[in-house]
Amino acid sequence: MDPIHQAIAVRFTFPVHFTTEVFASSNPVLRDVVSRGGGMAPARILFVVDDGVARHHPTVVKDIERYCQDHADALTLAAPVLVVPGGETIKNDARHVADLHRVIHDAALCRHSYVAAVGGGAVLDAVGYAAATAHRGIRMIRVATTILAQDDSAVGVKNGINAFGKKNYLGTFAPPFAVINDSNFLHTLSDRDWRGGLTEAVKAALIRDRAFFERLEQQATALAARDPRAAEDVIRRSAEIHLTHIASGGDPFESGSSRPLDFGHWAAHKLEQLTNHRLGHGEAVGIGLALDTTYSHLSGLLPEADWRRVIALLRALGLELHAPELSQCLDRPDDPACVLGGLDEFREHLGGRLTIMLLRGIGDPVDVHEIDRNVMIRSIGVLEGIHDYEIPAQSEGTRR
Ligand SMILES: NC(=O)c1ccc[n+]([C@@H]2O[C@H](COP(=O)([O-])OP(=O)(O)OC[C@H]3O[C@@H](n4cnc5c(N)ncnc54)[C@H](O)[C@@H]3O)[C@@H](O)[C@H]2O)c1
Ligand SMILES: [Zn+2]
């Protein structure tokens, strides 16, 4: 018997809003987002707030409650506002997702209800996973409160938590119902989270947009000094690049092996694990970008001038280019504590053949399927010894 061949075309659309003071009653963005969903008014919403946000913005829970009262015709709280642990804590223990499922269940949310998560990338990932798996998918509104969430993670189509010591091992592809980037949250970020969030914008520029890279160079001092205008401009362009890639790259749910948005990420994910999350995702990505850019240069793909510019930009943004864990156990590549194991874990997470994106130029990426470990070890050596953007002499570069 001939098989039946079935194709299912599904179209997702969602807005990404840029606003300030999203929970001020005079701000219509959130009520408009919910009203657009149709269905019975008022819409029922469960708000889940990152405890880091609640700590630094002590009125946020009250502001949400007041917003719902003042817009009672459009939206209503389905349960008291829930405050959850921020950062990787929420992603490292599946009990937090189970707790969220329980609250969603007890609040009797349905597929026409909303879960609105207010927080950094980690909280958005974990709450998104809980929302995507309850009733096989409840509408998810992401209110992003870190640079990294605003310029990358919140505008994407993924969620997840960590398991078996691996980043994002459990998760789904689930486009959000809406994303709201509120710049007012950003001024309370720690310096580390401020800088770390910029690495995903550098990544986006490196793989897609040389002119944006040049803008980042021009704005580097302002960005490092936490200039909000400069940050808004960079966040918007980075979000745009991420969105365009997801929408037009031909592989939104990553069934192929090439993942340009994960440039520099094989080492970053492994470093997050090896440092027990002492390094945040953005900080680890900064090192991962430096590493794969250095490898691109030492393996003969990337001209030296471009390599110097990338390293100079990362340093001007105040980012670290090396961590001790990068250099440990390099003589024992099979040791789980060696960063090189991250290559295989990356391949497994993608499925199929190892595919690592490298650079031929700024904004000019190329996929490769093999990595020369000796050159990678040399690249690590360069980053370990890097001063004043000079490539150390060959003998130093080859140290193990
Ligand atoms: N789904 C995706 O496509 C995707 C993409 C990139 C990164 N990520 C994930 O995102 C996570 C990193 O996100 P992140 O960089 O936003 O860090 P984070 O979510 O870990 O937050 C860092 C810290 O900042 C606090 N915080 C959040 N907002 C704050 C604010 N406005 N003021 C003060 N403190 C605040 C948090 O409580 C936390 O302690 C990682 O788990 C990473 O894997 C996901
Ligand atoms: Zn990332």
Side-chain angles (χ1 to χ4, degrees):
M1 287 242 284
D2 288 340
I4 297 172
H5 290 287
Q6 185 65 56
I8 302 177
V10 185
R11 186 176 169 79
F12 294 98
T13 57
F14 59 90
V16 178
H17 292 279
F18 295 84
T19 189
T20 57
E21 311 226 14
V22 60
F23 301 124
S25 292
S26 55
N27 188 327
V29 168
L30 181 58
R31 75 161 287 141
D32 290 351
V33 158
V34 170
S35 305
R36 190 176 56 83
M40 297 213 301
R44 304 183 68 237
I45 310 195
L46 170 67
F47 283 91
V48 184
V49 177
D50 185 318
D51 69 358
V53 177
R55 211 168 35 251
H56 289 93
H57 299 261
T59 64
V60 68
V61 171
K62 285 251 166 325
D63 294 345
I64 291 170
E65 289 167 353
R66 191 170 323 110
Y67 192 90
C68 291
Q69 279 162 16
D70 292 345
H71 296 277
D73 57 318
L75 54 151
T76 185
L77 290 179
V81 176
L82 191 66
V83 177
V84 294
E88 291 299 308
T89 306
I90 194 169
K91 290 179 67 170
N92 276 337
D93 186 343
R95 271 178 302 184
H96 295 298
V97 169
D99 290 346
L100 286 162
H101 281 148
R102 166 64 59 191
V103 175
I104 290 169
H105 171 267
D106 291 351
L109 294 192
C110 72
R111 287 193 194 146
H112 292 227
S113 318
Y114 297 83
V115 174
V118 184
V123 164
L124 300 185
D125 268 4
V127 179
Y129 179 47
T133 46
H135 287 305
R136 298 200 178 98
I138 294 177
R139 294 170 177 182
M140 171 77 186
I141 299 172
R142 301 184 184 143
V143 180
T145 64
T146 62
I147 294 187
L148 187 131
Q150 295 192 1
D151 74 2
D152 176 351
S153 88
V155 304
V157 295
K158 295 184 280 188
N159 56 53
I161 59 170
N162 310 327
F164 310 112
K166 291 179 179 164
K167 284 282 293 179
N168 306 323
Y169 190 82
L170 299 175
T172 73
F173 290 98
F177 186 81
V179 180
I180 303 177
N181 282 347
D182 181 341
S183 58
N184 195 45
F185 283 114
L186 303 181
H187 68 90
T188 57
L189 286 178
S190 69
D191 284 340
R192 285 181 60 190
D193 284 312
W194 178 280
R195 290 192 293 262
L198 298 171
T199 58
E200 300 282 9
V202 175
K203 172 204 74 184
L206 287 175
I207 59 159
R208 283 288 178 267
D209 187 345
R210 191 175 174 100
F212 181 39
F213 183 87
E214 283 163 4
R215 217 153 87 212
L216 284 162
E217 287 181 320
Q218 285 151 14
Q219 295 289 314
T221 311
L223 288 165
R226 303 184 60 136
D227 179 309
R229 283 257 173 83
E232 274 174 49
D233 171 56
V234 162
I235 287 167
R236 189 179 177 98
R237 181 65 193 133
S238 172
E240 235 168 37
I241 292 172
H242 281 86
L243 284 162
T244 305
H245 175 78
I246 292 164
S248 330
D251 192 17
F253 293 167
E254 299 175 1
S255 31
S257 300
S258 176
R259 292 230 311 243
L261 296 181
D262 277 350
F263 175 55
H265 275 55
W266 71 266
H269 284 157
K270 186 70 183 173
L271 274 178
E272 283 180 81
Q273 182 201 107
L274 292 181
T275 62
N276 210 6
H277 301 286
R278 184 190 77 247
L279 290 181
H281 179 73
E283 293 174 309
V285 169
I287 295 173
L289 295 179
L291 181 59
D292 283 359
T293 303
T294 304
Y295 180 91
S296 299
H297 171 50
L298 293 187
S299 57
L301 284 168
L302 182 72
E304 179 174 338
D306 280 350
W307 173 75
R308 283 176 186 277
R309 284 177 73 176
V310 177
I311 297 297
L313 174 61
L314 292 170
R315 296 190 101 190
L317 294 174
L319 292 155
E320 296 292 336
L321 306 182
H322 181 264
E325 289 81 356
L326 196 60
S327 297
Q328 73 193 11
C329 307
L330 288 175
D331 53 343
R332 284 174 278 122
D334 295 330
D335 191 313
C338 174
V339 73
L340 296 174
L343 284 165
D344 210 44
E345 289 174 21
F346 190 71
R347 185 199 56 72
E348 183 194 315
H349 192 65
L350 262 69
R353 218 172 149 196
L354 176 70
T355 306
I356 299 288
M357 179 154 280
L358 297 176
L359 298 176
R360 278 183 301 220
I362 292 169
D364 182 13
V366 58
D367 272 336
V368 303
H369 301 289
E370 266 166 40
I371 292 292
D372 181 329
R373 288 181 176 207
N374 288 326
V375 178
M376 189 57 81
I377 290 170
R378 241 184 93 206
S379 307
I380 292 171
V382 168
L383 293 181
E384 190 177 355
I386 207 159
H387 296 294
D388 300 328
Y389 327 134
E390 294 295 333
I391 302 181
Q394 190 84 347
S395 55
E396 242 185 280
T398 48
R399 64 189 295 280
R400 293 189 173 213

